[in-house]
Structure formats: structure tokens, C-alpha cells
Amino acid sequence: MRQVLIPHQLHDLPRDLPQGDIITLNGLSMGTSWSVRYVAQPTLGHDQTAVQAAIEAALAQVVQQMSTWLLDSDISQFNQLPAGRDIIIPRDFATVLEKALQVAVQSDGCFDPTIGALVDLWGFGPAEAIHAPPSPAAINAALLQSGWRKLGWDSANRRLTQPGGLKLDFSGIAKGFGVDQVAASLQQLGLAHYLVEVGGEFYGQDVKPDGQPWWVALERSDDAGTLDEYVVAIHGLALATSGDYRRYFEYEGRRYAHTLDPATGWPLLHAPSSVSVLAASCMQADALATALTVMGSERGLAYAQTHDIAVLFTTAHESGLRQQASPALQALLQ
């Protein structure tokens, strides 16, 4: 059965429809693929080459600042600092760090941007992939190096101090920020009708020339085909999904997925199959999807109700997969 989600702001759109063809562009960045669909506005004088260049420049800047795969990125430079040394970080980097720390505080550490040592240890970072769990001693050692409260952060001067051995990892938020940056680059070009996607995360604005919104299906795992399909009209709205089926390895009959519990340093034992979040920005949706995954469905749904978050949990039970929608998501059903 198809469930249709309509954001309230879609009802306030002007009646004048955009004129022009829908252009589709795509490419590779941030270790994944991206795609952009937009309504061309010939009066602006932008050809596809100029739009593609603007998109690629926006994503390249995020990579240069926040990719742990680049040894000379800003985040890697910080991670390599000796204890007590500091670095002045770029404005965009600071924006993402501020949001990451905000979500860390609000989620009581279920989202933590400082677990890079653990991410590397488990083989989910730039280091070589592993095929068996690391030793408990190694996990405890990496856990002691982690913790967002240990960061020395002077927001007024954008000065970040390395406490010693701590590694930032923005894999749970940077891709969402990349989506937002692409959207901002389109807006700067004067393009107002578009859908941006980076690695399965979305942000959309306005409608297509036929008056239809940009429809996006909430991501599902391959074994969720019998569940309801949720589709959302993306306008002034972002969508991000965290799933245990994306990156994992199996060892002695157990799946070790890429989402780590910052409290224990281990992959989640009973992680939700997927968590999809709708929010005003993709950076926010991305971070919340990770935090709610760590919380699990029961605690996560209670948190979502308290904080008015639109989220869909898909969890495994003995009888099969089950979907649970927060009140904020249910309110969008048509």
C-alpha cells in the first residue's frame, strides 16, 4: 500500500507554474553519486555546464573540509594535531561542527562526531576494511579517546583544540550538509525549482512545470518489499535515511553494521533496519537519522514525539519487519 506524505508548506505555493524544461545532471562526489533535477530558466542565461560546475564546486568544498579520506582536509589536519594544539577551522566546517554538537547535546550523546577512532578501528573509515571484530581492549582504548565533551571549541573565533588522540568523523552529517550546499548553489544561480540528491539523501524546492511536486520514496531495504511504501512531496524539506543494510560485515553469524553506539564503542546489536527523517535541512535530517538509529525504535519514537520530528522506523521482529511512524510523520499523511 502506498502512503502519501504532503508537507504543509506545499499548500502555500503560488499558482504560477515554472516555465522550462527539466534538466537532469549527475556525477560522483563524497564517496557516492549525486543527481540534480531542476527546471531550466533560459532568461537567466545559465547553461548546463555552468550549473554542473557550481554543483561540483559546492561538493568539492565540503570534501576538502570534512573528508577523513583526504590527508590534507581540514578535518584530517585537526585529527593529526598533537595534544594541546589548535586550528582555526573554515566557516562551513564550523557550521557543521556546531550542528553536530547541538545534536550530541540534545540526544545525550547518541550522535557523537568525535568517534573517528572507533570508526577507523571497526573498518568503516578510510582505513582498510576488517572482517572480524577488534579486541575489547582496542575498543575500550578508542572509546577513551572519544567523546564530544572533550573537544576544546571556541565558537567565537572558530578555534578547535585537540585534547589528544581525538578524531572527528562527520560521516553522519557531512553528506546532508553537502545536499544543503548544492541547494544553496542552485539558489545563488537563481534556480528555484529543483530536487537535489546525494547518496540517497534529498532536498527539494517548489514544483515541476506540470504542477506536480518532486516525489521521493522513503528508502527501504530489499527485504522490505511487503511493507507500505511511503512517498513524500519534497518542498522546502529534506529527507535522510540511516540503514543497517548499507555498510556492514558478518562474522560468526552476526552482522556488524556501520552505525556505532558512542556509549559502548560497538555496532548496535538490535539496530533498526532503517530510520528515515524529514527535516527543514538535510544536515539536520542526516544527524537525526543517526541519533534515532542509536536510540532504537522505542526510545527514538518517544524522543521524536517530544521534539516534533517526522520519522519512520522500520524494525525487525520475530514476525517480520514492522513500520512505526512518529506523530509528526502521521500528520503529513493524506
Side-chain angles (χ1 to χ4, degrees), residues 135-299:
S135 70
I139 294 170
N140 289 335
L143 194 59
L144 289 173
Q145 292 178 310
S146 307
W148 59 271
R149 291 183 179 88
K150 298 176 182 177
L151 269 181
W153 172 230
D154 175 3
S155 60
N157 297 299
R158 288 188 275 118
R159 186 184 303 276
L160 192 59
T161 303
Q162 170 63 259
L166 184 145
K167 290 187 177 182
L168 286 172
D169 183 279
F170 285 170
S171 58
I173 192 170
K175 189 166 61 173
F177 181 71
V179 171
D180 295 336
Q181 289 298 91
V182 170
S185 72
L186 298 176
Q187 292 285 160
Q188 289 171 2
L189 291 174
L191 300 170
H193 317 276
Y194 56 80
L195 177 68
V196 177
E197 178 267 334
V198 179
E201 300 187 2
F202 297 85
Y203 182 84
Q205 192 69 37
D206 223 297
V207 295
K208 295 180 283 188
D210 62 1
Q212 282 290 312
W214 306 100
W215 291 104
V216 175
L218 273 62
E219 186 176 315
R220 302 187 297 176
S221 60
D222 292 339
D223 58 351
T226 60
L227 299 178
D228 288 349
E229 180 187 33
Y230 283 77
V231 294
V232 58
I234 296 285
H235 166 61
L237 198 64
L239 167 65
T241 299
S242 176
D244 70 353
Y245 48 85
R246 285 183 170 172
R247 295 186 65 195
Y248 63 90
F249 67 87
E250 294 185 351
Y251 179 75
E252 294 185 346
R254 177 183 165 181
R255 174 182 289 191
Y256 294 86
H258 73 282
T259 302
L260 305 179
D261 184 346
T264 66
W266 286 76
L268 301 173
L269 182 58
H270 300 293
S273 296
S274 67
V275 177
S276 294
V277 175
L278 298 172
S281 76
C282 204
M283 174 172 61
Q284 175 87 353
D286 197 4
L288 284 174
T290 299
L292 292 168
T293 296
V294 172
M295 290 181 195
S297 60
E298 183 176 353
R299 181 184 171 193

Side-chain angles (χ1 to χ4, degrees), residues 299-330:
R299 181 184 171 193
L301 283 168
Y303 182 91
Q305 182 168 357
T306 300
H307 294 83
D308 196 32
I309 300 170
V311 57
L312 178 69
F313 280 87
T314 303
T315 54
H317 296 266
E318 291 183 359
S319 57
L321 293 176
R322 183 172 69 185
Q323 293 170 318
Q324 295 171 282
S326 69
L329 191 83
Q330 293 174 6

Side-chain angles (χ1 to χ4, degrees), residues 71-85:
L71 291 178
D72 65 344
S73 67
D74 292 281
I75 197 169
S76 292
Q77 290 180 47
F78 169 78
N79 289 345
Q80 295 162 19
L81 286 178
R85 293 285 299 277

Side-chain angles (χ1 to χ4, degrees), residues 75-96:
I75 197 169
S76 292
Q77 290 180 47
F78 169 78
N79 289 345
Q80 295 162 19
L81 286 178
R85 293 285 299 277
D86 58 46
I87 186 174
I88 304 299
I89 61 175
R91 197 171 303 277
D92 287 347
F93 191 134
T95 296
V96 175

